[in-house]
Amino acid sequence: MTTDFDDAFVSSRQLLLLALICFGALMCKIVYDLTRFISPLFFSVYGNLNDKVKMEWNNRGFSTFHAVFTSVASIYFLVISDQFDENVHGDSVINSTTRLSESVMGISLGYFIADLAMIFWYFPTLGGIEYVFHHLISMFAIFLSVTSGQSQFYIFLVLLSEATTPFVNLRWYLDNSGQKGSKAYTLNGIALFLGWLVARILLFIYFFVHMYLHFHQVSSILSSKSCHFRDVNLTSCFRVRR
């Protein structure tokens, strides 16, 4: 049985998530325009690019912004804060959630929606069907985690892998500005290799090892009656976390 206070609480959480998603999408628009404004100041070749390349150039600007934002946030939650510290939360570490972690994921959802919209609008210039699936799966996982309050530890581990994106984008920028033979291109390639090794290989080894060691928690994720995959009333998912 629910009360008016319960309903108001759930409604406020849903409105907050919606506001954060919109804020994330708005930030993408702002950074897109900012990239278009400052790029000619650092890359003289920008003015000579065709419209499609300029569009992708600006798109990679907010892609880089999102990658830096989520990487820093993930490091904070996983390393600096005690949100996922087993000495503090004990056996429930992977189900730990805070308003701040939910806010970060809401903003990230806004990015994925904005980027997916651009992928559809300019399809297939910004990527093919594999990018569509990547974004849809990412959005689905983040949405389930933020509404249920579960498995945020693993979401932030995956978001940390975005740390390689700035190096990938810088490689593309240098290539399209005619600096493929430059020292900066070589140094960025080394950084990309090391970043990929740490954030895409070693990190995911840790991801699966941690999941194996905490399988008793993993197997119970989203299994409660009040927030189940088959539950179409998502207000119950919000209510679980009161």
Side-chain angles (χ1 to χ4, degrees), residues 28-43 46-47 49-51 53-62 118 122 173:
C28 290
K29 170 60 176 173
I30 293 173
V31 176
Y32 182 94
D33 291 337
L34 185 62
T35 302
R36 180 172 53 189
F37 175 76
I38 67 174
S39 291
L41 303 178
F42 296 95
F43 297 91
Y46 180 83
L49 301 174
N50 61 53
D51 290 341
V53 177
K54 284 183 179 179
M55 177 273 297
E56 182 172 357
W57 183 295
N58 301 333
N59 175 271
R60 287 177 181 269
F62 72 74
M118 288 196 67
Y122 294 102
Y173 285 138

PDB file of all heavy atoms in Angstrom, residues 28-43 46-47 49-51 53-62 118 122 173:
ATOM      1  N   CYS A  28      25.729  18.619 -24.341  1.00  0.00           N
ATOM      2  CA  CYS A  28      26.273  18.153 -25.623  1.00  0.00           C
ATOM      3  C   CYS A  28      26.118  19.243 -26.684  1.00  0.00           C
ATOM      4  O   CYS A  28      27.044  19.487 -27.469  1.00  0.00           O
ATOM      5  CB  CYS A  28      25.558  16.875 -26.068  1.00  0.00           C
ATOM      6  SG  CYS A  28      25.941  15.435 -25.060  1.00  0.00           S
ATOM      7  N   LYS A  29      24.960  19.893 -26.722  1.00  0.00           N
ATOM      8  CA  LYS A  29      24.708  20.974 -27.675  1.00  0.00           C
ATOM      9  C   LYS A  29      25.664  22.134 -27.430  1.00  0.00           C
ATOM     10  O   LYS A  29      26.227  22.711 -28.379  1.00  0.00           O
ATOM     11  CB  LYS A  29      23.255  21.422 -27.552  1.00  0.00           C
ATOM     12  CG  LYS A  29      22.902  22.697 -28.300  1.00  0.00           C
ATOM     13  CD  LYS A  29      23.152  22.586 -29.791  1.00  0.00           C
ATOM     14  CE  LYS A  29      22.700  23.857 -30.510  1.00  0.00           C
ATOM     15  NZ  LYS A  29      23.073  23.857 -31.953  1.00  0.00           N
ATOM     16  N   ILE A  30      25.861  22.482 -26.163  1.00  0.00           N
ATOM     17  CA  ILE A  30      26.741  23.598 -25.823  1.00  0.00           C
ATOM     18  C   ILE A  30      28.180  23.299 -26.241  1.00  0.00           C
ATOM     19  O   ILE A  30      28.858  24.137 -26.848  1.00  0.00           O
ATOM     20  CB  ILE A  30      26.670  23.908 -24.314  1.00  0.00           C
ATOM     21  CG1 ILE A  30      25.283  24.454 -23.954  1.00  0.00           C
ATOM     22  CG2 ILE A  30      27.758  24.901 -23.908  1.00  0.00           C
ATOM     23  CD1 ILE A  30      25.056  24.641 -22.471  1.00  0.00           C
ATOM     24  N   VAL A  31      28.659  22.094 -25.919  1.00  0.00           N
ATOM     25  CA  VAL A  31      30.033  21.725 -26.259  1.00  0.00           C
ATOM     26  C   VAL A  31      30.196  21.590 -27.770  1.00  0.00           C
ATOM     27  O   VAL A  31      31.246  21.925 -28.323  1.00  0.00           O
ATOM     28  CB  VAL A  31      30.433  20.409 -25.550  1.00  0.00           C
ATOM     29  CG1 VAL A  31      31.831  19.963 -25.974  1.00  0.00           C
ATOM     30  CG2 VAL A  31      30.384  20.587 -24.042  1.00  0.00           C
ATOM     31  N   TYR A  32      29.154  21.121 -28.455  1.00  0.00           N
ATOM     32  CA  TYR A  32      29.178  21.030 -29.923  1.00  0.00           C
ATOM     33  C   TYR A  32      29.419  22.415 -30.527  1.00  0.00           C
ATOM     34  O   TYR A  32      30.291  22.588 -31.397  1.00  0.00           O
ATOM     35  CB  TYR A  32      27.856  20.454 -30.418  1.00  0.00           C
ATOM     36  CG  TYR A  32      27.768  20.258 -31.914  1.00  0.00           C
ATOM     37  CD1 TYR A  32      28.088  19.032 -32.498  1.00  0.00           C
ATOM     38  CD2 TYR A  32      27.351  21.298 -32.750  1.00  0.00           C
ATOM     39  CE1 TYR A  32      28.006  18.839 -33.875  1.00  0.00           C
ATOM     40  CE2 TYR A  32      27.268  21.118 -34.125  1.00  0.00           C
ATOM     41  CZ  TYR A  32      27.587  19.891 -34.682  1.00  0.00           C
ATOM     42  OH  TYR A  32      27.515  19.713 -36.045  1.00  0.00           O
ATOM     43  N   ASP A  33      28.657  23.407 -30.066  1.00  0.00           N
ATOM     44  CA  ASP A  33      28.809  24.772 -30.578  1.00  0.00           C
ATOM     45  C   ASP A  33      30.147  25.374 -30.151  1.00  0.00           C
ATOM     46  O   ASP A  33      30.778  26.112 -30.925  1.00  0.00           O
ATOM     47  CB  ASP A  33      27.666  25.651 -30.075  1.00  0.00           C
ATOM     48  CG  ASP A  33      26.329  25.269 -30.691  1.00  0.00           C
ATOM     49  OD1 ASP A  33      26.328  24.654 -31.783  1.00  0.00           O
ATOM     50  OD2 ASP A  33      25.282  25.556 -30.076  1.00  0.00           O
ATOM     51  N   LEU A  34      30.579  25.065 -28.932  1.00  0.00           N
ATOM     52  CA  LEU A  34      31.862  25.580 -28.450  1.00  0.00           C
ATOM     53  C   LEU A  34      33.022  25.010 -29.259  1.00  0.00           C
ATOM     54  O   LEU A  34      33.974  25.727 -29.585  1.00  0.00           O
ATOM     55  CB  LEU A  34      32.036  25.241 -26.964  1.00  0.00           C
ATOM     56  CG  LEU A  34      33.281  25.809 -26.270  1.00  0.00           C
ATOM     57  CD1 LEU A  34      33.235  27.339 -26.298  1.00  0.00           C
ATOM     58  CD2 LEU A  34      33.356  25.311 -24.829  1.00  0.00           C
ATOM     59  N   THR A  35      32.921  23.729 -29.615  1.00  0.00           N
ATOM     60  CA  THR A  35      33.948  23.099 -30.446  1.00  0.00           C
ATOM     61  C   THR A  35      34.023  23.768 -31.814  1.00  0.00           C
ATOM     62  O   THR A  35      35.115  24.008 -32.345  1.00  0.00           O
ATOM     63  CB  THR A  35      33.650  21.597 -30.622  1.00  0.00           C
ATOM     64  OG1 THR A  35      33.574  20.968 -29.343  1.00  0.00           O
ATOM     65  CG2 THR A  35      34.743  20.919 -31.444  1.00  0.00           C
ATOM     66  N   ARG A  36      32.869  24.073 -32.366  1.00  0.00           N
ATOM     67  CA  ARG A  36      32.809  24.745 -33.668  1.00  0.00           C
ATOM     68  C   ARG A  36      33.435  26.133 -33.595  1.00  0.00           C
ATOM     69  O   ARG A  36      34.048  26.605 -34.564  1.00  0.00           O
ATOM     70  CB  ARG A  36      31.351  24.849 -34.120  1.00  0.00           C
ATOM     71  CG  ARG A  36      31.151  25.526 -35.460  1.00  0.00           C
ATOM     72  CD  ARG A  36      29.712  25.397 -35.914  1.00  0.00           C
ATOM     73  NE  ARG A  36      28.772  25.849 -34.903  1.00  0.00           N
ATOM     74  CZ  ARG A  36      27.455  25.675 -34.988  1.00  0.00           C
ATOM     75  NH1 ARG A  36      26.934  25.054 -36.034  1.00  0.00           N
ATOM     76  NH2 ARG A  36      26.662  26.136 -34.031  1.00  0.00           N
ATOM     77  N   PHE A  37      33.338  26.776 -32.434  1.00  0.00           N
ATOM     78  CA  PHE A  37      33.873  28.128 -32.276  1.00  0.00           C
ATOM     79  C   PHE A  37      35.385  28.142 -32.053  1.00  0.00           C
ATOM     80  O   PHE A  37      36.104  28.978 -32.628  1.00  0.00           O
ATOM     81  CB  PHE A  37      33.165  28.820 -31.096  1.00  0.00           C
ATOM     82  CG  PHE A  37      33.726  30.176 -30.760  1.00  0.00           C
ATOM     83  CD1 PHE A  37      33.437  31.281 -31.561  1.00  0.00           C
ATOM     84  CD2 PHE A  37      34.546  30.350 -29.647  1.00  0.00           C
ATOM     85  CE1 PHE A  37      33.955  32.527 -31.255  1.00  0.00           C
ATOM     86  CE2 PHE A  37      35.070  31.595 -29.343  1.00  0.00           C
ATOM     87  CZ  PHE A  37      34.779  32.688 -30.147  1.00  0.00           C
ATOM     88  N   ILE A  38      35.898  27.229 -31.211  1.00  0.00           N
ATOM     89  CA  ILE A  38      37.313  27.286 -30.843  1.00  0.00           C
ATOM     90  C   ILE A  38      38.225  26.484 -31.768  1.00  0.00           C
ATOM     91  O   ILE A  38      39.436  26.724 -31.796  1.00  0.00           O
ATOM     92  CB  ILE A  38      37.530  26.804 -29.395  1.00  0.00           C
ATOM     93  CG1 ILE A  38      37.219  25.306 -29.259  1.00  0.00           C
ATOM     94  CG2 ILE A  38      36.701  27.631 -28.418  1.00  0.00           C
ATOM     95  CD1 ILE A  38      37.559  24.740 -27.896  1.00  0.00           C
ATOM     96  N   SER A  39      37.670  25.549 -32.530  1.00  0.00           N
ATOM     97  CA  SER A  39      38.518  24.706 -33.379  1.00  0.00           C
ATOM     98  C   SER A  39      39.362  25.497 -34.369  1.00  0.00           C
ATOM     99  O   SER A  39      40.550  25.189 -34.554  1.00  0.00           O
ATOM    100  CB  SER A  39      37.659  23.670 -34.122  1.00  0.00           C
ATOM    101  OG  SER A  39      37.147  22.708 -33.217  1.00  0.00           O
ATOM    102  N   PRO A  40      38.814  26.538 -35.032  1.00  0.00           N
ATOM    103  CA  PRO A  40      39.650  27.310 -35.962  1.00  0.00           C
ATOM    104  C   PRO A  40      40.827  28.004 -35.287  1.00  0.00           C
ATOM    105  O   PRO A  40      41.813  28.340 -35.948  1.00  0.00           O
ATOM    106  CB  PRO A  40      38.667  28.340 -36.536  1.00  0.00           C
ATOM    107  CG  PRO A  40      37.317  27.741 -36.352  1.00  0.00           C
ATOM    108  CD  PRO A  40      37.415  26.984 -35.071  1.00  0.00           C
ATOM    109  N   LEU A  41      40.733  28.206 -33.964  1.00  0.00           N
ATOM    110  CA  LEU A  41      41.811  28.876 -33.250  1.00  0.00           C
ATOM    111  C   LEU A  41      43.021  27.969 -33.056  1.00  0.00           C
ATOM    112  O   LEU A  41      44.149  28.450 -32.901  1.00  0.00           O
ATOM    113  CB  LEU A  41      41.311  29.361 -31.883  1.00  0.00           C
ATOM    114  CG  LEU A  41      40.099  30.305 -31.895  1.00  0.00           C
ATOM    115  CD1 LEU A  41      39.690  30.657 -30.469  1.00  0.00           C
ATOM    116  CD2 LEU A  41      40.406  31.554 -32.689  1.00  0.00           C
ATOM    117  N   PHE A  42      42.781  26.646 -33.056  1.00  0.00           N
ATOM    118  CA  PHE A  42      43.856  25.683 -32.826  1.00  0.00           C
ATOM    119  C   PHE A  42      44.204  24.863 -34.065  1.00  0.00           C
ATOM    120  O   PHE A  42      45.305  24.338 -34.178  1.00  0.00           O
ATOM    121  CB  PHE A  42      43.465  24.736 -31.681  1.00  0.00           C
ATOM    122  CG  PHE A  42      43.290  25.423 -30.357  1.00  0.00           C
ATOM    123  CD1 PHE A  42      42.033  25.846 -29.929  1.00  0.00           C
ATOM    124  CD2 PHE A  42      44.377  25.671 -29.537  1.00  0.00           C
ATOM    125  CE1 PHE A  42      41.869  26.478 -28.717  1.00  0.00           C
ATOM    126  CE2 PHE A  42      44.228  26.306 -28.319  1.00  0.00           C
ATOM    127  CZ  PHE A  42      42.971  26.721 -27.906  1.00  0.00           C
ATOM    128  N   PHE A  43      43.251  24.745 -34.977  1.00  0.00           N
ATOM    129  CA  PHE A  43      43.475  23.977 -36.207  1.00  0.00           C
ATOM    130  C   PHE A  43      43.075  24.844 -37.400  1.00  0.00           C
ATOM    131  O   PHE A  43      41.881  25.004 -37.684  1.00  0.00           O
ATOM    132  CB  PHE A  43      42.644  22.682 -36.203  1.00  0.00           C
ATOM    133  CG  PHE A  43      42.998  21.727 -35.104  1.00  0.00           C
ATOM    134  CD1 PHE A  43      42.338  21.789 -33.874  1.00  0.00           C
ATOM    135  CD2 PHE A  43      43.982  20.763 -35.273  1.00  0.00           C
ATOM    136  CE1 PHE A  43      42.652  20.901 -32.858  1.00  0.00           C
ATOM    137  CE2 PHE A  43      44.301  19.873 -34.261  1.00  0.00           C
ATOM    138  CZ  PHE A  43      43.639  19.952 -33.050  1.00  0.00           C
ATOM    139  N   TYR A  46      40.629  23.621 -40.122  1.00  0.00           N
ATOM    140  CA  TYR A  46      39.200  23.420 -39.850  1.00  0.00           C
ATOM    141  C   TYR A  46      38.315  24.135 -40.867  1.00  0.00           C
ATOM    142  O   TYR A  46      37.297  23.597 -41.315  1.00  0.00           O
ATOM    143  CB  TYR A  46      38.873  23.906 -38.437  1.00  0.00           C
ATOM    144  CG  TYR A  46      37.418  23.746 -38.046  1.00  0.00           C
ATOM    145  CD1 TYR A  46      36.931  22.535 -37.566  1.00  0.00           C
ATOM    146  CD2 TYR A  46      36.521  24.823 -38.157  1.00  0.00           C
ATOM    147  CE1 TYR A  46      35.593  22.395 -37.205  1.00  0.00           C
ATOM    148  CE2 TYR A  46      35.197  24.687 -37.800  1.00  0.00           C
ATOM    149  CZ  TYR A  46      34.734  23.474 -37.327  1.00  0.00           C
ATOM    150  OH  TYR A  46      33.412  23.335 -36.994  1.00  0.00           O
ATOM    151  N   GLY A  47      38.696  25.356 -41.245  1.00  0.00           N
ATOM    152  CA  GLY A  47      37.889  26.123 -42.178  1.00  0.00           C
ATOM    153  C   GLY A  47      37.820  25.535 -43.576  1.00  0.00           C
ATOM    154  O   GLY A  47      36.908  25.862 -44.347  1.00  0.00           O
ATOM    155  N   LEU A  49      37.612  22.240 -44.163  1.00  0.00           N
ATOM    156  CA  LEU A  49      36.929  20.950 -44.144  1.00  0.00           C
ATOM    157  C   LEU A  49      35.528  21.079 -44.728  1.00  0.00           C
ATOM    158  O   LEU A  49      34.900  22.140 -44.634  1.00  0.00           O
ATOM    159  CB  LEU A  49      36.844  20.422 -42.710  1.00  0.00           C
ATOM    160  CG  LEU A  49      38.175  20.215 -41.958  1.00  0.00           C
ATOM    161  CD1 LEU A  49      37.911  19.822 -40.511  1.00  0.00           C
ATOM    162  CD2 LEU A  49      39.029  19.153 -42.642  1.00  0.00           C
ATOM    163  N   ASN A  50      35.027  19.980 -45.301  1.00  0.00           N
ATOM    164  CA  ASN A  50      33.656  20.016 -45.806  1.00  0.00           C
ATOM    165  C   ASN A  50      32.673  19.903 -44.636  1.00  0.00           C
ATOM    166  O   ASN A  50      33.064  19.609 -43.500  1.00  0.00           O
ATOM    167  CB  ASN A  50      33.416  18.915 -46.848  1.00  0.00           C
ATOM    168  CG  ASN A  50      33.611  17.515 -46.274  1.00  0.00           C
ATOM    169  OD1 ASN A  50      33.015  17.159 -45.259  1.00  0.00           O
ATOM    170  ND2 ASN A  50      34.441  16.708 -46.922  1.00  0.00           N
ATOM    171  N   ASP A  51      31.407  20.138 -44.925  1.00  0.00           N
ATOM    172  CA  ASP A  51      30.402  20.210 -43.858  1.00  0.00           C
ATOM    173  C   ASP A  51      30.271  18.905 -43.074  1.00  0.00           C
ATOM    174  O   ASP A  51      30.078  18.922 -41.849  1.00  0.00           O
ATOM    175  CB  ASP A  51      29.044  20.596 -44.446  1.00  0.00           C
ATOM    176  CG  ASP A  51      29.020  22.038 -44.933  1.00  0.00           C
ATOM    177  OD1 ASP A  51      29.896  22.814 -44.505  1.00  0.00           O
ATOM    178  OD2 ASP A  51      28.143  22.373 -45.750  1.00  0.00           O
ATOM    179  N   VAL A  53      32.582  16.570 -42.518  1.00  0.00           N
ATOM    180  CA  VAL A  53      33.742  16.383 -41.645  1.00  0.00           C
ATOM    181  C   VAL A  53      33.681  17.363 -40.470  1.00  0.00           C
ATOM    182  O   VAL A  53      34.009  16.998 -39.335  1.00  0.00           O
ATOM    183  CB  VAL A  53      35.049  16.570 -42.435  1.00  0.00           C
ATOM    184  CG1 VAL A  53      36.261  16.449 -41.498  1.00  0.00           C
ATOM    185  CG2 VAL A  53      35.152  15.545 -43.556  1.00  0.00           C
ATOM    186  N   LYS A  54      33.233  18.587 -40.729  1.00  0.00           N
ATOM    187  CA  LYS A  54      33.080  19.547 -39.636  1.00  0.00           C
ATOM    188  C   LYS A  54      32.057  19.052 -38.615  1.00  0.00           C
ATOM    189  O   LYS A  54      32.239  19.207 -37.399  1.00  0.00           O
ATOM    190  CB  LYS A  54      32.636  20.909 -40.186  1.00  0.00           C
ATOM    191  CG  LYS A  54      33.741  21.708 -40.857  1.00  0.00           C
ATOM    192  CD  LYS A  54      33.217  23.065 -41.302  1.00  0.00           C
ATOM    193  CE  LYS A  54      34.302  23.894 -41.950  1.00  0.00           C
ATOM    194  NZ  LYS A  54      33.806  25.210 -42.415  1.00  0.00           N
ATOM    195  N   MET A  55      30.966  18.487 -39.119  1.00  0.00           N
ATOM    196  CA  MET A  55      29.927  17.975 -38.228  1.00  0.00           C
ATOM    197  C   MET A  55      30.493  16.867 -37.342  1.00  0.00           C
ATOM    198  O   MET A  55      30.266  16.845 -36.125  1.00  0.00           O
ATOM    199  CB  MET A  55      28.751  17.456 -39.052  1.00  0.00           C
ATOM    200  CG  MET A  55      27.618  16.837 -38.261  1.00  0.00           C
ATOM    201  SD  MET A  55      27.891  15.076 -37.930  1.00  0.00           S
ATOM    202  CE  MET A  55      27.900  14.425 -39.613  1.00  0.00           C
ATOM    203  N   GLU A  56      31.249  15.934 -37.929  1.00  0.00           N
ATOM    204  CA  GLU A  56      31.840  14.864 -37.127  1.00  0.00           C
ATOM    205  C   GLU A  56      32.886  15.418 -36.174  1.00  0.00           C
ATOM    206  O   GLU A  56      33.020  14.950 -35.042  1.00  0.00           O
ATOM    207  CB  GLU A  56      32.468  13.795 -38.026  1.00  0.00           C
ATOM    208  CG  GLU A  56      33.045  12.630 -37.239  1.00  0.00           C
ATOM    209  CD  GLU A  56      33.493  11.467 -38.108  1.00  0.00           C
ATOM    210  OE1 GLU A  56      33.298  11.530 -39.343  1.00  0.00           O
ATOM    211  OE2 GLU A  56      34.048  10.497 -37.537  1.00  0.00           O
ATOM    212  N   TRP A  57      33.625  16.416 -36.619  1.00  0.00           N
ATOM    213  CA  TRP A  57      34.633  17.075 -35.778  1.00  0.00           C
ATOM    214  C   TRP A  57      33.978  17.632 -34.514  1.00  0.00           C
ATOM    215  O   TRP A  57      34.446  17.417 -33.399  1.00  0.00           O
ATOM    216  CB  TRP A  57      35.285  18.194 -36.591  1.00  0.00           C
ATOM    217  CG  TRP A  57      36.395  18.940 -35.923  1.00  0.00           C
ATOM    218  CD1 TRP A  57      36.308  19.738 -34.816  1.00  0.00           C
ATOM    219  CD2 TRP A  57      37.780  18.966 -36.322  1.00  0.00           C
ATOM    220  NE1 TRP A  57      37.529  20.276 -34.512  1.00  0.00           N
ATOM    221  CE2 TRP A  57      38.451  19.815 -35.416  1.00  0.00           C
ATOM    222  CE3 TRP A  57      38.489  18.375 -37.361  1.00  0.00           C
ATOM    223  CZ2 TRP A  57      39.814  20.082 -35.518  1.00  0.00           C
ATOM    224  CZ3 TRP A  57      39.852  18.640 -37.461  1.00  0.00           C
ATOM    225  CH2 TRP A  57      40.505  19.471 -36.554  1.00  0.00           C
ATOM    226  N   ASN A  58      32.876  18.349 -34.699  1.00  0.00           N
ATOM    227  CA  ASN A  58      32.169  18.947 -33.564  1.00  0.00           C
ATOM    228  C   ASN A  58      31.519  17.874 -32.689  1.00  0.00           C
ATOM    229  O   ASN A  58      31.475  18.004 -31.460  1.00  0.00           O
ATOM    230  CB  ASN A  58      31.101  19.917 -34.070  1.00  0.00           C
ATOM    231  CG  ASN A  58      31.693  21.035 -34.909  1.00  0.00           C
ATOM    232  OD1 ASN A  58      32.852  21.404 -34.734  1.00  0.00           O
ATOM    233  ND2 ASN A  58      30.904  21.574 -35.825  1.00  0.00           N
ATOM    234  N   ASN A  59      31.020  16.815 -33.327  1.00  0.00           N
ATOM    235  CA  ASN A  59      30.429  15.706 -32.581  1.00  0.00           C
ATOM    236  C   ASN A  59      31.459  15.044 -31.674  1.00  0.00           C
ATOM    237  O   ASN A  59      31.162  14.695 -30.518  1.00  0.00           O
ATOM    238  CB  ASN A  59      29.851  14.686 -33.557  1.00  0.00           C
ATOM    239  CG  ASN A  59      29.333  13.435 -32.871  1.00  0.00           C
ATOM    240  OD1 ASN A  59      30.079  12.474 -32.676  1.00  0.00           O
ATOM    241  ND2 ASN A  59      28.063  13.429 -32.508  1.00  0.00           N
ATOM    242  N   ARG A  60      32.668  14.897 -32.185  1.00  0.00           N
ATOM    243  CA  ARG A  60      33.732  14.301 -31.371  1.00  0.00           C
ATOM    244  C   ARG A  60      34.137  15.221 -30.221  1.00  0.00           C
ATOM    245  O   ARG A  60      34.731  14.768 -29.239  1.00  0.00           O
ATOM    246  CB  ARG A  60      34.931  13.963 -32.248  1.00  0.00           C
ATOM    247  CG  ARG A  60      34.704  12.759 -33.159  1.00  0.00           C
ATOM    248  CD  ARG A  60      35.902  12.497 -34.059  1.00  0.00           C
ATOM    249  NE  ARG A  60      35.669  11.351 -34.936  1.00  0.00           N
ATOM    250  CZ  ARG A  60      35.990  10.095 -34.653  1.00  0.00           C
ATOM    251  NH1 ARG A  60      36.578   9.822 -33.495  1.00  0.00           N
ATOM    252  NH2 ARG A  60      35.749   9.121 -35.504  1.00  0.00           N
ATOM    253  N   GLY A  61      33.798  16.504 -30.354  1.00  0.00           N
ATOM    254  CA  GLY A  61      34.069  17.432 -29.260  1.00  0.00           C
ATOM    255  C   GLY A  61      33.266  17.087 -28.021  1.00  0.00           C
ATOM    256  O   GLY A  61      33.816  16.973 -26.914  1.00  0.00           O
ATOM    257  N   PHE A  62      31.950  16.889 -28.185  1.00  0.00           N
ATOM    258  CA  PHE A  62      31.161  16.544 -26.991  1.00  0.00           C
ATOM    259  C   PHE A  62      31.323  15.081 -26.608  1.00  0.00           C
ATOM    260  O   PHE A  62      31.076  14.698 -25.456  1.00  0.00           O
ATOM    261  CB  PHE A  62      29.691  16.978 -27.115  1.00  0.00           C
ATOM    262  CG  PHE A  62      28.818  16.201 -28.057  1.00  0.00           C
ATOM    263  CD1 PHE A  62      28.374  14.931 -27.729  1.00  0.00           C
ATOM    264  CD2 PHE A  62      28.375  16.770 -29.249  1.00  0.00           C
ATOM    265  CE1 PHE A  62      27.517  14.231 -28.569  1.00  0.00           C
ATOM    266  CE2 PHE A  62      27.518  16.086 -30.094  1.00  0.00           C
ATOM    267  CZ  PHE A  62      27.095  14.797 -29.753  1.00  0.00           C
ATOM    268  N   MET A 118      22.022  12.156 -33.307  1.00  0.00           N
ATOM    269  CA  MET A 118      22.884  12.604 -34.403  1.00  0.00           C
ATOM    270  C   MET A 118      23.270  11.445 -35.319  1.00  0.00           C
ATOM    271  O   MET A 118      23.368  11.612 -36.544  1.00  0.00           O
ATOM    272  CB  MET A 118      24.137  13.283 -33.852  1.00  0.00           C
ATOM    273  CG  MET A 118      23.895  14.647 -33.256  1.00  0.00           C
ATOM    274  SD  MET A 118      25.431  15.602 -33.033  1.00  0.00           S
ATOM    275  CE  MET A 118      25.914  15.872 -34.751  1.00  0.00           C
ATOM    276  N   TYR A 122      22.327  11.700 -39.271  1.00  0.00           N
ATOM    277  CA  TYR A 122      23.368  11.736 -40.302  1.00  0.00           C
ATOM    278  C   TYR A 122      23.787  10.333 -40.752  1.00  0.00           C
ATOM    279  O   TYR A 122      24.838  10.178 -41.369  1.00  0.00           O
ATOM    280  CB  TYR A 122      24.591  12.486 -39.781  1.00  0.00           C
ATOM    281  CG  TYR A 122      24.342  13.952 -39.522  1.00  0.00           C
ATOM    282  CD1 TYR A 122      24.140  14.413 -38.215  1.00  0.00           C
ATOM    283  CD2 TYR A 122      24.304  14.863 -40.567  1.00  0.00           C
ATOM    284  CE1 TYR A 122      23.914  15.765 -37.968  1.00  0.00           C
ATOM    285  CE2 TYR A 122      24.075  16.222 -40.324  1.00  0.00           C
ATOM    286  CZ  TYR A 122      23.885  16.657 -39.028  1.00  0.00           C
ATOM    287  OH  TYR A 122      23.651  17.997 -38.781  1.00  0.00           O
ATOM    288  N   TYR A 173      41.436  13.793 -35.014  1.00  0.00           N
ATOM    289  CA  TYR A 173      41.670  15.211 -35.266  1.00  0.00           C
ATOM    290  C   TYR A 173      43.010  15.436 -35.971  1.00  0.00           C
ATOM    291  O   TYR A 173      43.095  16.187 -36.950  1.00  0.00           O
ATOM    292  CB  TYR A 173      41.658  15.990 -33.948  1.00  0.00           C
ATOM    293  CG  TYR A 173      40.288  16.210 -33.353  1.00  0.00           C
ATOM    294  CD1 TYR A 173      40.071  16.063 -31.987  1.00  0.00           C
ATOM    295  CD2 TYR A 173      39.211  16.582 -34.141  1.00  0.00           C
ATOM    296  CE1 TYR A 173      38.826  16.267 -31.427  1.00  0.00           C
ATOM    297  CE2 TYR A 173      37.959  16.798 -33.595  1.00  0.00           C
ATOM    298  CZ  TYR A 173      37.769  16.637 -32.229  1.00  0.00           C
ATOM    299  OH  TYR A 173      36.524  16.847 -31.696  1.00  0.00           O
TER     300      TYR A 173
END
